[in-house]
Short mmCIF file of all heavy atoms in Angstrom, two decimals:
data_model
loop_
_atom_site.label_atom_id
_atom_site.label_comp_id
_atom_site.label_asym_id
_atom_site.label_seq_id
_atom_site.Cartn_x
_atom_site.Cartn_y
_atom_site.Cartn_z
N ASP A 154 47.54 140.00 107.97
CA ASP A 154 47.48 138.81 108.79
C ASP A 154 48.88 138.30 109.09
O ASP A 154 49.72 138.20 108.21
CB ASP A 154 46.72 137.69 108.07
CG ASP A 154 45.24 137.98 107.95
OD1 ASP A 154 44.68 138.54 108.91
OD2 ASP A 154 44.66 137.65 106.90
N GLU A 155 49.05 137.96 110.33
CA GLU A 155 50.33 137.37 110.73
C GLU A 155 50.30 135.88 110.42
O GLU A 155 49.34 135.19 110.74
CB GLU A 155 50.55 137.57 112.23
CG GLU A 155 51.86 137.00 112.69
CD GLU A 155 52.06 137.18 114.18
OE1 GLU A 155 51.62 138.22 114.71
OE2 GLU A 155 52.63 136.28 114.80
N VAL A 156 51.32 135.42 109.76
CA VAL A 156 51.43 134.00 109.42
C VAL A 156 52.47 133.39 110.34
O VAL A 156 53.59 133.87 110.44
CB VAL A 156 51.85 133.80 107.95
CG1 VAL A 156 52.04 132.33 107.64
CG2 VAL A 156 50.83 134.43 107.02
N ARG A 157 52.07 132.34 111.04
CA ARG A 157 53.01 131.66 111.93
C ARG A 157 53.84 130.69 111.11
O ARG A 157 53.32 129.91 110.34
CB ARG A 157 52.25 130.91 113.02
CG ARG A 157 51.55 131.87 113.97
CD ARG A 157 50.98 131.15 115.13
NE ARG A 157 52.09 130.61 115.91
CZ ARG A 157 51.94 129.73 116.88
NH1 ARG A 157 50.74 129.29 117.19
NH2 ARG A 157 52.96 129.28 117.56
N ARG A 158 55.13 130.76 111.30
CA ARG A 158 56.06 129.87 110.62
C ARG A 158 56.59 128.87 111.64
O ARG A 158 56.94 129.22 112.75
CB ARG A 158 57.24 130.64 110.03
CG ARG A 158 56.83 131.72 109.07
CD ARG A 158 56.56 131.12 107.71
NE ARG A 158 56.23 132.20 106.79
CZ ARG A 158 55.37 132.07 105.83
NH1 ARG A 158 54.75 130.95 105.63
NH2 ARG A 158 55.12 133.07 105.03
N LEU A 159 56.64 127.65 111.22
CA LEU A 159 57.15 126.59 112.07
C LEU A 159 58.22 125.84 111.31
O LEU A 159 58.01 125.45 110.16
CB LEU A 159 56.03 125.62 112.46
CG LEU A 159 56.47 124.35 113.15
CD1 LEU A 159 56.99 124.65 114.54
CD2 LEU A 159 55.33 123.36 113.22
N ALA A 160 59.34 125.68 111.93
CA ALA A 160 60.39 124.85 111.36
C ALA A 160 60.96 124.00 112.49
O ALA A 160 61.24 124.51 113.57
CB ALA A 160 61.49 125.70 110.73
N LEU A 161 61.06 122.75 112.23
CA LEU A 161 61.57 121.81 113.22
C LEU A 161 62.69 121.02 112.57
O LEU A 161 62.50 120.44 111.50
CB LEU A 161 60.46 120.87 113.69
CG LEU A 161 60.84 119.75 114.63
CD1 LEU A 161 61.31 120.32 115.96
CD2 LEU A 161 59.66 118.83 114.84
N GLU A 162 63.85 121.04 113.18
CA GLU A 162 64.98 120.25 112.69
C GLU A 162 65.37 119.26 113.76
O GLU A 162 65.39 119.59 114.95
CB GLU A 162 66.18 121.15 112.38
CG GLU A 162 65.96 122.10 111.24
CD GLU A 162 67.17 122.97 110.98
OE1 GLU A 162 68.06 123.05 111.85
OE2 GLU A 162 67.22 123.58 109.91
N PHE A 163 65.70 118.05 113.32
CA PHE A 163 66.15 117.04 114.27
C PHE A 163 67.03 116.04 113.56
O PHE A 163 66.93 115.84 112.35
CB PHE A 163 64.97 116.33 114.94
CG PHE A 163 63.98 115.73 113.99
CD1 PHE A 163 64.07 114.40 113.62
CD2 PHE A 163 62.97 116.50 113.44
CE1 PHE A 163 63.17 113.84 112.73
CE2 PHE A 163 62.06 115.96 112.55
CZ PHE A 163 62.17 114.63 112.19
N ALA A 164 67.94 115.44 114.31
CA ALA A 164 68.85 114.45 113.74
C ALA A 164 68.36 113.06 114.12
O ALA A 164 67.85 112.84 115.22
CB ALA A 164 70.26 114.67 114.28
N VAL A 165 68.53 112.15 113.18
CA VAL A 165 68.21 110.74 113.43
C VAL A 165 69.42 109.89 113.08
O VAL A 165 70.22 110.26 112.22
CB VAL A 165 66.97 110.28 112.61
CG1 VAL A 165 65.73 111.00 113.04
CG2 VAL A 165 67.20 110.43 111.12
N ARG A 166 69.56 108.79 113.76
CA ARG A 166 70.61 107.82 113.45
C ARG A 166 69.94 106.66 112.73
O ARG A 166 69.06 105.99 113.28
CB ARG A 166 71.30 107.35 114.72
CG ARG A 166 72.41 106.34 114.43
CD ARG A 166 73.48 106.34 115.47
NE ARG A 166 74.23 107.59 115.39
CZ ARG A 166 74.92 108.09 116.42
NH1 ARG A 166 74.94 107.47 117.57
NH2 ARG A 166 75.59 109.22 116.29
N LEU A 167 70.34 106.44 111.50
CA LEU A 167 69.74 105.42 110.64
C LEU A 167 70.51 104.11 110.73
O LEU A 167 71.68 104.10 111.10
CB LEU A 167 69.75 105.91 109.19
CG LEU A 167 69.03 107.24 108.94
CD1 LEU A 167 69.36 107.74 107.54
CD2 LEU A 167 67.55 107.09 109.13
N PRO A 168 69.89 103.00 110.35
CA PRO A 168 70.60 101.72 110.32
C PRO A 168 71.52 101.57 109.11
O PRO A 168 72.28 100.62 109.03
CB PRO A 168 69.48 100.68 110.31
CG PRO A 168 68.29 101.38 109.78
CD PRO A 168 68.45 102.83 110.14
N LYS A 169 71.45 102.52 108.17
CA LYS A 169 72.27 102.49 106.95
C LYS A 169 72.97 103.83 106.78
O LYS A 169 72.58 104.84 107.38
CB LYS A 169 71.41 102.24 105.71
CG LYS A 169 70.85 100.85 105.60
CD LYS A 169 70.14 100.70 104.26
CE LYS A 169 69.67 99.27 104.07
NZ LYS A 169 68.93 99.13 102.82
N ASN A 170 73.92 103.87 105.89
CA ASN A 170 74.63 105.09 105.55
C ASN A 170 73.65 106.17 105.10
O ASN A 170 72.81 105.93 104.22
CB ASN A 170 75.63 104.77 104.42
CG ASN A 170 76.40 105.97 103.97
OD1 ASN A 170 75.86 106.83 103.28
ND2 ASN A 170 77.65 106.04 104.34
N ALA A 171 73.75 107.35 105.70
CA ALA A 171 72.79 108.42 105.44
C ALA A 171 72.83 108.89 103.98
O ALA A 171 71.78 109.21 103.40
CB ALA A 171 73.04 109.59 106.38
N GLU A 172 74.01 108.94 103.37
CA GLU A 172 74.08 109.38 101.97
C GLU A 172 73.34 108.42 101.06
O GLU A 172 72.66 108.84 100.12
CB GLU A 172 75.54 109.54 101.54
CG GLU A 172 76.21 110.72 102.21
CD GLU A 172 77.63 110.95 101.74
OE1 GLU A 172 78.06 110.32 100.76
OE2 GLU A 172 78.30 111.79 102.35
N ASN A 173 73.43 107.12 101.33
CA ASN A 173 72.70 106.13 100.53
C ASN A 173 71.19 106.25 100.74
O ASN A 173 70.41 106.09 99.80
CB ASN A 173 73.17 104.72 100.87
CG ASN A 173 74.61 104.47 100.48
OD1 ASN A 173 75.17 105.16 99.64
ND2 ASN A 173 75.23 103.48 101.10
N VAL A 174 70.80 106.52 101.97
CA VAL A 174 69.37 106.69 102.27
C VAL A 174 68.83 107.93 101.55
O VAL A 174 67.75 107.89 100.96
CB VAL A 174 69.12 106.77 103.78
CG1 VAL A 174 67.69 107.18 104.10
CG2 VAL A 174 69.44 105.42 104.45
N VAL A 175 69.59 109.02 101.56
CA VAL A 175 69.17 110.23 100.86
C VAL A 175 68.97 109.94 99.37
O VAL A 175 67.98 110.38 98.77
CB VAL A 175 70.18 111.38 101.09
CG1 VAL A 175 69.93 112.54 100.14
CG2 VAL A 175 70.11 111.85 102.53
N ALA A 176 69.89 109.19 98.79
CA ALA A 176 69.75 108.83 97.37
C ALA A 176 68.51 107.98 97.13
O ALA A 176 67.77 108.20 96.17
CB ALA A 176 71.00 108.09 96.89
N GLY A 177 68.26 107.02 98.01
CA GLY A 177 67.07 106.17 97.87
C GLY A 177 65.78 106.95 98.04
O GLY A 177 64.79 106.71 97.34
N MET A 178 65.79 107.91 98.95
CA MET A 178 64.60 108.74 99.16
C MET A 178 64.38 109.65 97.96
O MET A 178 63.23 109.88 97.55
CB MET A 178 64.75 109.56 100.44
CG MET A 178 64.71 108.72 101.71
SD MET A 178 63.08 108.04 102.04
CE MET A 178 62.22 109.51 102.63
N ALA A 179 65.46 110.17 97.37
CA ALA A 179 65.33 111.03 96.18
C ALA A 179 64.69 110.26 95.04
O ALA A 179 63.87 110.81 94.30
CB ALA A 179 66.70 111.57 95.78
N ALA A 180 65.03 108.99 94.92
CA ALA A 180 64.44 108.16 93.87
C ALA A 180 62.94 108.00 94.08
O ALA A 180 62.20 107.73 93.13
CB ALA A 180 65.11 106.78 93.84
N ARG A 181 62.47 108.20 95.30
CA ARG A 181 61.04 108.13 95.61
C ARG A 181 60.38 109.50 95.64
O ARG A 181 59.22 109.63 96.01
CB ARG A 181 60.84 107.44 96.96
CG ARG A 181 61.23 105.98 96.92
CD ARG A 181 61.23 105.41 98.33
NE ARG A 181 61.60 104.01 98.30
CZ ARG A 181 60.83 103.03 98.76
NH1 ARG A 181 59.67 103.30 99.29
NH2 ARG A 181 61.26 101.79 98.71
N GLY A 182 61.14 110.53 95.30
CA GLY A 182 60.58 111.88 95.23
C GLY A 182 60.67 112.69 96.52
O GLY A 182 60.01 113.73 96.63
N PHE A 183 61.48 112.26 97.47
CA PHE A 183 61.61 112.97 98.74
C PHE A 183 62.99 113.59 98.88
O PHE A 183 64.00 112.96 98.53
CB PHE A 183 61.42 112.02 99.92
CG PHE A 183 60.02 111.50 100.07
CD1 PHE A 183 59.70 110.23 99.64
CD2 PHE A 183 59.04 112.27 100.65
CE1 PHE A 183 58.42 109.73 99.78
CE2 PHE A 183 57.75 111.78 100.80
CZ PHE A 183 57.43 110.51 100.36
N LEU A 184 63.07 114.80 99.38
CA LEU A 184 64.31 115.41 99.81
C LEU A 184 64.45 115.05 101.28
O LEU A 184 63.82 115.67 102.14
CB LEU A 184 64.27 116.92 99.59
CG LEU A 184 65.49 117.70 100.02
CD1 LEU A 184 66.73 117.20 99.28
CD2 LEU A 184 65.28 119.18 99.75
N ALA A 185 65.24 114.04 101.57
CA ALA A 185 65.24 113.43 102.91
C ALA A 185 65.91 114.25 103.98
O ALA A 185 65.50 114.23 105.13
CB ALA A 185 65.88 112.04 102.85
N GLY A 186 66.96 114.96 103.62
CA GLY A 186 67.68 115.71 104.63
C GLY A 186 69.14 115.83 104.28
O GLY A 186 69.54 115.61 103.14
N ILE A 187 69.94 116.17 105.30
CA ILE A 187 71.37 116.41 105.10
C ILE A 187 72.17 115.39 105.89
O ILE A 187 72.06 115.32 107.12
CB ILE A 187 71.74 117.83 105.57
CG1 ILE A 187 70.95 118.87 104.78
CG2 ILE A 187 73.24 118.06 105.45
CD1 ILE A 187 71.07 120.27 105.31
N PRO A 188 72.99 114.57 105.21
CA PRO A 188 73.88 113.67 105.93
C PRO A 188 74.88 114.51 106.75
O PRO A 188 75.46 115.47 106.24
CB PRO A 188 74.59 112.90 104.82
CG PRO A 188 73.68 113.01 103.64
CD PRO A 188 73.06 114.38 103.76
N LEU A 189 75.07 114.16 108.01
CA LEU A 189 75.90 114.97 108.89
C LEU A 189 77.38 114.65 108.84
O LEU A 189 78.21 115.51 109.12
CB LEU A 189 75.37 114.87 110.32
CG LEU A 189 73.99 115.49 110.53
CD1 LEU A 189 73.49 115.24 111.94
CD2 LEU A 189 74.03 116.98 110.23
N ALA A 190 77.76 113.43 108.48
CA ALA A 190 79.18 113.05 108.49
C ALA A 190 80.03 113.93 107.58
O ALA A 190 81.11 114.36 107.99
CB ALA A 190 79.34 111.58 108.12
N PRO A 191 79.59 114.23 106.35
CA PRO A 191 80.43 115.07 105.50
C PRO A 191 80.67 116.48 106.07
O PRO A 191 81.62 117.16 105.70
CB PRO A 191 79.65 115.16 104.18
CG PRO A 191 78.81 113.94 104.17
CD PRO A 191 78.44 113.71 105.61
N LEU A 192 79.82 116.90 106.99
CA LEU A 192 79.96 118.20 107.63
C LEU A 192 80.80 118.12 108.91
O LEU A 192 81.00 119.12 109.59
CB LEU A 192 78.58 118.78 107.96
CG LEU A 192 77.62 118.94 106.79
CD1 LEU A 192 76.25 119.38 107.27
CD2 LEU A 192 78.19 119.94 105.79
N GLY A 193 81.21 116.90 109.25
CA GLY A 193 81.96 116.70 110.49
C GLY A 193 81.10 116.82 111.73
O GLY A 193 81.58 117.10 112.82
N ALA A 194 79.81 116.60 111.55
CA ALA A 194 78.87 116.82 112.65
C ALA A 194 78.16 115.56 113.11
O ALA A 194 77.19 115.64 113.86
CB ALA A 194 77.83 117.85 112.21
N GLY A 195 78.60 114.40 112.68
CA GLY A 195 77.94 113.17 113.09
C GLY A 195 78.54 111.96 112.43
O GLY A 195 79.51 112.06 111.66
N ALA A 196 77.95 110.81 112.72
CA ALA A 196 78.39 109.55 112.16
C ALA A 196 77.87 109.38 110.73
O ALA A 196 77.01 110.14 110.27
CB ALA A 196 77.89 108.39 113.03
N GLU A 197 78.37 108.38 110.04
CA GLU A 197 77.97 108.09 108.66
C GLU A 197 76.47 107.81 108.54
O GLU A 197 75.90 107.93 107.46
CB GLU A 197 78.74 106.90 108.11
CG GLU A 197 80.24 107.15 107.97
CD GLU A 197 80.56 108.14 106.87
OE1 GLU A 197 79.90 108.13 105.83
OE2 GLU A 197 81.49 108.94 107.09
N THR A 198 75.85 107.44 109.63
CA THR A 198 74.43 107.08 109.62
C THR A 198 73.52 108.18 110.15
O THR A 198 72.32 107.98 110.27
CB THR A 198 74.21 105.80 110.44
OG1 THR A 198 74.68 106.02 111.76
CG2 THR A 198 74.91 104.60 109.81
N ASP A 199 74.10 109.34 110.45
CA ASP A 199 73.30 110.45 111.01
C ASP A 199 72.77 111.36 109.92
O ASP A 199 73.50 111.76 109.00
CB ASP A 199 74.14 111.26 112.00
CG ASP A 199 74.51 110.48 113.24
OD1 ASP A 199 73.92 109.40 113.46
OD2 ASP A 199 75.39 110.93 113.99
N LEU A 200 71.49 111.69 110.03
CA LEU A 200 70.80 112.51 109.04
C LEU A 200 70.03 113.63 109.73
O LEU A 200 69.32 113.39 110.71
CB LEU A 200 69.81 111.63 108.25
CG LEU A 200 68.99 112.30 107.15
CD1 LEU A 200 69.89 112.71 105.99
CD2 LEU A 200 67.89 111.36 106.67
N LEU A 201 70.18 114.85 109.24
CA LEU A 201 69.42 115.99 109.74
C LEU A 201 68.17 116.14 108.89
O LEU A 201 68.26 116.26 107.67
CB LEU A 201 70.25 117.27 109.69
CG LEU A 201 69.57 118.53 110.23
CD1 LEU A 201 69.33 118.40 111.73
CD2 LEU A 201 70.40 119.75 109.91
N ILE A 202 67.02 116.14 109.54
CA ILE A 202 65.73 116.25 108.86
C ILE A 202 65.07 117.55 109.31
O ILE A 202 65.12 117.91 110.48
CB ILE A 202 64.82 115.05 109.20
CG1 ILE A 202 65.44 113.75 108.70
CG2 ILE A 202 63.42 115.24 108.63
CD1 ILE A 202 64.69 112.51 109.11
N ALA A 203 64.45 118.25 108.38
CA ALA A 203 63.71 119.48 108.70
C ALA A 203 62.27 119.33 108.24
O ALA A 203 62.00 118.76 107.18
CB ALA A 203 64.35 120.68 108.03
N VAL A 204 61.36 119.86 109.04
CA VAL A 204 59.93 119.81 108.72
C VAL A 204 59.37 121.22 108.93
O VAL A 204 59.73 121.90 109.88
CB VAL A 204 59.19 118.82 109.65
CG1 VAL A 204 57.70 118.79 109.33
CG2 VAL A 204 59.79 117.44 109.57
N THR A 205 58.49 121.63 108.02
CA THR A 205 57.85 122.94 108.16
C THR A 205 56.34 122.78 108.23
O THR A 205 55.80 121.70 108.01
CB THR A 205 58.19 123.87 106.98
OG1 THR A 205 57.54 123.37 105.81
CG2 THR A 205 59.69 123.96 106.75
N GLU A 206 55.67 123.89 108.49
CA GLU A 206 54.21 123.87 108.60
C GLU A 206 53.53 123.59 107.26
O GLU A 206 52.33 123.34 107.22
CB GLU A 206 53.71 125.21 109.17
CG GLU A 206 53.68 126.36 108.19
CD GLU A 206 55.03 127.01 107.90
OE1 GLU A 206 56.03 126.65 108.53
OE2 GLU A 206 55.08 127.89 107.04
N ARG A 207 54.28 123.60 106.19
CA ARG A 207 53.69 123.37 104.87
C ARG A 207 53.38 121.91 104.62
O ARG A 207 52.68 121.58 103.67
CB ARG A 207 54.62 123.90 103.79
CG ARG A 207 54.82 125.42 103.90
CD ARG A 207 55.65 125.94 102.79
NE ARG A 207 54.89 125.77 101.55
CZ ARG A 207 55.40 125.90 100.36
NH1 ARG A 207 56.67 126.20 100.21
NH2 ARG A 207 54.66 125.73 99.28
N ARG A 208 53.88 121.02 105.43
CA ARG A 208 53.67 119.58 105.25
C ARG A 208 52.43 119.12 105.99
O ARG A 208 52.19 119.49 107.14
CB ARG A 208 54.88 118.79 105.73
CG ARG A 208 56.14 119.13 105.00
CD ARG A 208 56.03 118.69 103.54
NE ARG A 208 56.99 119.40 102.72
CZ ARG A 208 56.76 119.78 101.49
NH1 ARG A 208 55.60 119.55 100.91
NH2 ARG A 208 57.68 120.40 100.80
N THR A 209 51.64 118.31 105.31
CA THR A 209 50.43 117.76 105.93
C THR A 209 50.77 116.48 106.67
O THR A 209 51.85 115.91 106.51
CB THR A 209 49.38 117.43 104.85
OG1 THR A 209 49.89 116.37 104.03
CG2 THR A 209 49.04 118.65 104.00
N ARG A 210 49.82 116.00 107.43
CA ARG A 210 50.00 114.72 108.12
C ARG A 210 50.23 113.60 107.10
O ARG A 210 51.06 112.72 107.31
CB ARG A 210 48.76 114.42 108.99
CG ARG A 210 48.80 113.10 109.70
CD ARG A 210 49.98 113.06 110.65
NE ARG A 210 50.15 111.76 111.22
CZ ARG A 210 50.14 111.52 112.52
NH1 ARG A 210 49.96 112.50 113.37
NH2 ARG A 210 50.32 110.31 112.96
N ALA A 211 49.51 113.65 106.00
CA ALA A 211 49.69 112.63 104.94
C ALA A 211 51.09 112.70 104.35
O ALA A 211 51.70 111.66 104.09
CB ALA A 211 48.63 112.82 103.85
N ASP A 212 51.62 113.92 104.16
CA ASP A 212 52.99 114.08 103.67
C ASP A 212 53.99 113.43 104.63
O ASP A 212 54.90 112.71 104.22
CB ASP A 212 53.37 115.56 103.53
CG ASP A 212 52.63 116.30 102.44
OD1 ASP A 212 52.15 115.65 101.48
OD2 ASP A 212 52.54 117.54 102.55
N LEU A 213 53.81 113.73 105.91
CA LEU A 213 54.72 113.19 106.93
C LEU A 213 54.62 111.68 107.03
O LEU A 213 55.64 110.99 107.18
CB LEU A 213 54.45 113.84 108.28
CG LEU A 213 54.69 115.35 108.34
CD1 LEU A 213 54.28 115.90 109.69
CD2 LEU A 213 56.12 115.70 108.02
N ASP A 214 53.41 111.16 106.95
CA ASP A 214 53.23 109.70 106.99
C ASP A 214 53.90 109.02 105.80
O ASP A 214 54.55 107.99 105.95
CB ASP A 214 51.74 109.33 107.04
CG ASP A 214 51.09 109.65 108.38
OD1 ASP A 214 51.81 109.88 109.38
OD2 ASP A 214 49.84 109.67 108.42
N ALA A 215 53.76 109.62 104.62
CA ALA A 215 54.38 109.06 103.42
C ALA A 215 55.90 109.11 103.52
O ALA A 215 56.60 108.16 103.15
CB ALA A 215 53.89 109.81 102.17
N PHE A 216 56.42 110.22 104.05
CA PHE A 216 57.86 110.35 104.24
C PHE A 216 58.37 109.29 105.23
O PHE A 216 59.37 108.62 104.96
CB PHE A 216 58.20 111.75 104.75
CG PHE A 216 59.66 111.98 105.00
CD1 PHE A 216 60.48 112.46 103.99
CD2 PHE A 216 60.23 111.71 106.24
CE1 PHE A 216 61.84 112.66 104.22
CE2 PHE A 216 61.58 111.90 106.47
CZ PHE A 216 62.38 112.38 105.45
N ALA A 217 57.68 109.15 106.34
CA ALA A 217 58.10 108.17 107.36
C ALA A 217 58.08 106.75 106.82
O ALA A 217 58.99 105.97 107.08
CB ALA A 217 57.20 108.30 108.60
N LYS A 218 57.05 106.43 106.06
CA LYS A 218 56.96 105.08 105.48
C LYS A 218 58.11 104.85 104.50
O LYS A 218 58.77 103.80 104.53
CB LYS A 218 55.62 104.90 104.78
CG LYS A 218 55.46 103.52 104.17
CD LYS A 218 54.10 103.35 103.51
CE LYS A 218 54.03 101.94 102.93
NZ LYS A 218 52.93 101.75 102.05
N ALA A 219 58.36 105.80 103.64
CA ALA A 219 59.45 105.67 102.66
C ALA A 219 60.80 105.60 103.36
O ALA A 219 61.66 104.80 103.00
CB ALA A 219 59.43 106.85 101.68
N LEU A 220 61.00 106.40 104.41
CA LEU A 220 62.25 106.40 105.15
C LEU A 220 62.48 105.02 105.80
O LEU A 220 63.59 104.49 105.75
CB LEU A 220 62.29 107.50 106.20
CG LEU A 220 63.58 107.64 106.99
CD1 LEU A 220 64.74 108.01 106.07
CD2 LEU A 220 63.41 108.69 108.08
N GLU A 221 61.44 104.46 106.36
CA GLU A 221 61.56 103.13 106.95
C GLU A 221 61.91 102.08 105.89
O GLU A 221 62.80 101.26 106.09
CB GLU A 221 60.27 102.74 107.67
CG GLU A 221 60.34 101.37 108.30
CD GLU A 221 59.07 100.99 109.03
OE1 GLU A 221 58.01 101.59 108.79
OE2 GLU A 221 59.14 100.06 109.85
N GLU A 222 61.23 102.14 104.76
CA GLU A 222 61.49 101.17 103.69
C GLU A 222 62.91 101.30 103.14
O GLU A 222 63.60 100.29 102.95
CB GLU A 222 60.47 101.36 102.57
CG GLU A 222 59.08 100.95 102.95
CD GLU A 222 58.02 101.33 101.92
OE1 GLU A 222 58.35 101.94 100.89
OE2 GLU A 222 56.84 100.99 102.16
N VAL A 223 63.36 102.52 102.92
CA VAL A 223 64.69 102.73 102.34
C VAL A 223 65.79 102.40 103.35
O VAL A 223 66.79 101.77 103.00
CB VAL A 223 64.83 104.18 101.83
CG1 VAL A 223 66.27 104.50 101.46
CG2 VAL A 223 63.91 104.42 100.65
N SER A 224 65.60 102.81 104.59
CA SER A 224 66.68 102.65 105.56
C SER A 224 66.70 101.28 106.24
O SER A 224 67.73 100.88 106.79
CB SER A 224 66.64 103.75 106.62
OG SER A 224 65.46 103.65 107.39
N CYS A 225 65.62 100.55 106.17
CA CYS A 225 65.55 99.24 106.87
C CYS A 225 65.50 98.05 105.93
O CYS A 225 65.37 96.92 106.38
CB CYS A 225 64.33 99.23 107.79
SG CYS A 225 64.46 100.42 109.14
N SER A 226 65.58 98.28 104.62
CA SER A 226 65.52 97.15 103.69
C SER A 226 66.89 96.73 103.23
O SER A 226 67.85 97.42 103.38
CB SER A 226 64.65 97.50 102.49
OG SER A 226 65.24 98.55 101.77
#
């Protein structure tokens, strides 16, 4: 059987420093993504996020809610 693989990467600009948001998300059990500034690829608030087919809608909803809480509080 052929298994279809899906990977989607996208950058977001957060209202807070991306490294701090990654740390806050890790405390909630999420691997949030890669801050782009240390790579010379974006601003201090830019974060690269990747999503694969292994994540359910519930996983994505929980991630989005946690990301909003961490980055907007």
Side-chain angles (χ1 to χ4, degrees):
D154 290 322
E155 181 181 325
V156 177
R157 293 188 66 192
R158 303 278 183 215
L159 170 69
L161 175 66
E162 294 179 344
F163 54 95
V165 295
R166 180 154 291 157
L167 303 168
K169 289 186 175 178
N170 179 286
E172 290 183 10
N173 294 340
V174 170
V175 167
M178 291 290 285
R181 292 171 180 238
F183 292 101
L184 179 58
I187 300 171
L189 293 175
L192 302 174
E197 295 291 323
T198 57
D199 293 347
L200 180 68
L201 182 67
I202 297 174
V204 180
T205 70
E206 78 282 354
R207 297 184 66 192
R208 300 293 160 216
T209 66
R210 177 62 187 238
D212 292 336
L213 297 175
D214 288 344
F216 179 90
K218 181 179 179 192
L220 184 63
E221 180 179 18
E222 291 171 359
V223 169
S224 65
C225 295
S226 64

